[in-house]
Amino acid sequence: MTKTIFAAAAVALTLATPALASERSFKRDGVTYTYTTLDQGGARVLEGRASEGSKFRLVVRNGWVKGDVAGKPVAFRAPKSTGPLQVAQR
């Protein structure tokens, strides 16, 4: 369940930001997730790992997310994008 929550959070972040091959990270429930995103053949691909060592690869295409997290297959509807992510600066 935590893996699915993390995957949904990663997808939401990815849908709200432009595709870049640079490394990104976020923290959830004390675990840091580091990943890269790539546009590939009309899909957005997220690949990375959790600080606990598990790897993941998710493909977002046509409103669906499919892939594997820690070696287990996952598939679910992608969360709806709420527009561009806005970050406050000091």
Side-chain angles (χ1 to χ4, degrees), residues 36-57:
T36 58
T37 61
L38 297 170
D39 282 334
Q40 207 172 49
R44 173 98 23 114
V45 179
L46 291 82
E47 290 184 329
R49 71 174 43 236
S51 58
E52 61 192 19
S54 60
K55 294 181 181 180
F56 61 90
R57 182 176 194 277

Side-chain angles (χ1 to χ4, degrees), residues 8-80:
V11 170
L13 288 171
T14 300
L15 292 175
T17 59
L20 300 172
S22 63
E23 198 168 82
R24 299 173 179 257
S25 66
F26 69 94
K27 194 172 202 175
R28 172 140 182 124
D29 299 328
V31 178
T32 300
Y33 298 93
T34 306
Y35 64 98
T36 58
T37 61
L38 297 170
D39 282 334
Q40 207 172 49
R44 173 98 23 114
V45 179
L46 291 82
E47 290 184 329
R49 71 174 43 236
S51 58
E52 61 192 19
S54 60
K55 294 181 181 180
F56 61 90
R57 182 176 194 277
L58 302 170
V59 179
V60 183
R61 181 188 332 233
N62 298 326
W64 283 91
V65 179
K66 295 180 182 179
D68 64 87
V69 177
K72 296 183 181 176
V74 296
F76 53 92
R77 284 197 182 274
K80 292 183 181 179

